[in-house]
Amino acid sequence: MTMRMPGGPSLPRALRMPNMPRVLRMPGGTRVLSGARGVLRAAVCATVLAALVGATVSPAVPASPAAPASAGSPAPARAARAEVPAGVTAGVAVFDRRTGTFTEQLNPGGRFRSASVVKLLIALDLLWGRSPDTLPAADRARMDSMLRGSDDSAASTFWAANGGGAIVDRMVARLGLTDTARPPATHPGYWGYTALSARDTVTVYRYILDTAPAAVRDHLMTALRGSTRCATDGYDQHFGIPGSFERPWAVKQGWSGFSSGGCTTTANATARTGTGTQASEVSGAADVDLTRPALHTTGVVGAGDRTIVAVLTLHPAGTAYGRAHTDIGRLTRSLNVPGATRPSGTWVGTWGSGVRVRSGTTTASGALTTLPAGAEVLVGCQRRGQQVSVPPYTNDWWAYLPQYGGYMTNVYLSAPENQVPGVPVC
């Protein structure tokens, strides 16, 4: 039997969620799960739930020593402090433009498939030798959608019109990129299979900020500052940098190999031409993994665009988007990012799918978005509102999520009590 929260998702009736309270507040009173039977029931149900949501919390593993800096780097890499979750492969580069030094480097030259980060190169190639205001109106609108909402159809249009892999070849030569390469010959139309590294990503941003004509710089950075929470394909793209630091920031994110990404209940889960295909369909360069799910966060953080951050990640096959969303967030928050302001609040895990963030503390309040299933959220404060029942749980507390500007019922927070300990009342 399943139960549906008003305006929310359906889920199995009698599952006990990980870290959910032993004291269950029911409409007719309070039931206490204690003793061996209660502990066993909690353990069994937690195991079942983990299989359903496809997400388990993994301890961080020590970061490996940083690779040598690329030629021309202002300073050698020091030992990285990046906390990489278990099972995740990462390439990290953090560059402080004020001091001209890297504050973090972990596998900076490692080559990853770019996913949508290559859209930076597509845009730069389109604007090479011209001002944005000389573009036809349709192309200018298409480029803005490609950068703000990560519009795949726009990228595919430019890719086909401007030479495909030749775009990458031109930008490698123009910017002096060392690890970037066009997609493998087996997949020439898959711009998301372009090889890219964290250090080359830093080079791209340094060109935009320090060398590109002012009109090009301003146009591109305005678009990246206007990154929308929901991408055009229905994925929540405010992970990593946007989730870890307060504005000002500007980002270009990338994802490939996931089945759904929150934001809307009707998200298009089908892989687009440029982003990827199922693992069984690909065969490319031996040194670029085209199969594992990829999630990348890149951009600049702080006043004056002080620090460039590039975090490229691969996740175990079958990883849910919410799990990867959480892992890249934890990794990004562990980094030394000069000039960054970290948001206040408490990070709390969630469970369930299709969980809505609403404008108020009732299920009748307008839905602002949906959360990626199982993603961690930053809770700023909490208040009482409408009582919500998802048997066997009942809760009238609601959490305010400052990064979403709305509320979610505490029923779907993985917390030990109905009221999250240590979180203030709104």
Side-chain angles (χ1 to χ4, degrees):
M1 179 177 179
T2 61
M3 296 296 293
R4 183 175 299 274
M5 166 185 162
S10 60
L11 73 167
R13 176 183 178 85
L15 288 181
R16 175 169 171 77
M17 317 320 300
N19 300 321
M20 291 300 288
R22 289 173 184 256
V23 179
L24 305 181
R25 195 177 307 279
M26 304 298 291
T30 299
R31 178 182 177 189
V32 180
L33 294 182
S34 60
R37 180 179 299 177
V39 172
L40 177 60
R41 183 181 303 162
V44 171
C45 291
T47 301
V48 174
L49 176 68
L52 287 175
V53 302
T56 57
V57 177
S58 302
V61 296
S64 58
S70 58
S73 297
R78 61 165 175 77
R81 296 185 299 185
E83 297 175 7
V84 182
V88 174
T89 300
V92 177
V94 179
F95 182 78
D96 182 355
R97 296 175 61 230
R98 180 175 299 176
T99 63
T101 60
F102 284 94
T103 62
E104 298 278 5
Q105 288 195 90
L106 173 67
N107 186 26
R111 301 172 85 196
F112 295 74
R113 72 183 186 277
S114 67
S116 289
V117 179
V118 74
K119 291 169 182 173
L120 293 172
L121 297 183
I122 295 174
L124 282 171
D125 182 75
L126 181 66
L127 293 174
W128 202 264
R130 69 191 334 178
S131 176
D133 59 11
T134 66
L135 288 176
D139 280 351
R140 183 164 176 159
R142 191 176 287 120
M143 182 177 66
D144 287 350
S145 180
M146 179 179 73
L147 296 176
R148 295 173 188 267
S150 204
D151 188 335
D152 290 348
S153 62
S156 294
T157 296
F158 291 134
W159 185 262
N162 296 324
I167 295 172
V168 178
D169 297 342
R170 290 193 293 266
M171 295 312 302
V172 166
R174 290 163 173 166
L175 304 186
L177 305 178
T178 58
D179 310 307
T180 302
R182 63 163 62 197
T186 51
H187 293 80
Y190 284 68
W191 41 261
Y193 287 174
T194 297
L196 189 67
S197 69
R199 67 185 174 194
D200 272 3
T201 303
V202 169
T203 299
V204 172
Y205 279 103
R206 291 184 68 185
Y207 170 78
I208 293 172
L209 293 167
D210 300 329
T211 307
V216 171
R217 177 196 66 220
D218 294 345
H219 189 85
L220 294 182
M221 293 308 298
T222 296
L224 299 182
R225 294 187 217 287
S227 168
T228 58
R229 174 171 290 281
C230 293
T232 57
D233 62 358
Y235 278 71
D236 185 327
Q237 62 173 342
H238 280 187
F239 52 82
I241 293 169
S244 300
F245 311 115
E246 297 280 17
R247 289 185 184 271
W249 48 253
V251 295
K252 184 68 209 76
Q253 314 282 69
W255 55 93
S256 175
F258 298 96
S259 61
S260 63
C263 261
T264 68
T265 55
T266 57
N268 178 7
T270 303
R272 301 290 185 92
T273 300
T275 56
T277 61
Q278 295 299 317
S280 61
E281 300 173 356
V282 302
S283 59
D287 63 338
V288 178
D289 190 322
L290 303 179
T291 61
R292 283 185 290 165
L295 197 63
H296 310 320
T297 183
T298 77
V300 297
V301 180
D305 298 322
R306 174 170 175 176
T307 301
I308 301 169
V309 179
V311 179
L312 312 181
T313 63
L314 293 174
H315 302 259
T319 298
Y321 191 69
R323 172 76 268 166
H325 193 286
T326 294
D327 281 346
I328 198 170
R330 292 176 177 176
L331 170 53
T332 305
R333 294 197 300 271
S334 75
L335 302 176
N336 176 15
V337 180
T341 301
R342 298 171 188 272
S344 59
T346 302
W347 288 95
V348 183
T350 66
W351 62 273
S353 62
V355 177
R356 289 164 173 77
V357 180
R358 299 184 178 278
S359 58
T361 59
T362 72
T363 57
S365 301
L368 303 178
T369 188
T370 56
L371 298 174
E376 281 186 333
V377 293
L378 183 71
V379 178
C381 60
Q382 57 193 328
R383 61 183 297 185
R384 277 199 156 99
Q386 178 187 348
Q387 180 173 277
V388 175
S389 293
V390 183
Y393 310 112
T394 299
N395 201 327
D396 63 354
W397 284 92
W398 290 68
Y400 179 70
L401 311 183
Q403 294 180 325
Y404 292 82
Y407 296 85
M408 67 171 287
T409 169
N410 283 20
V411 160
Y412 291 108
L413 290 179
S414 298
E417 303 291 343
N418 283 355
Q419 182 180 2
V420 183
V423 174
V425 174
C426 297

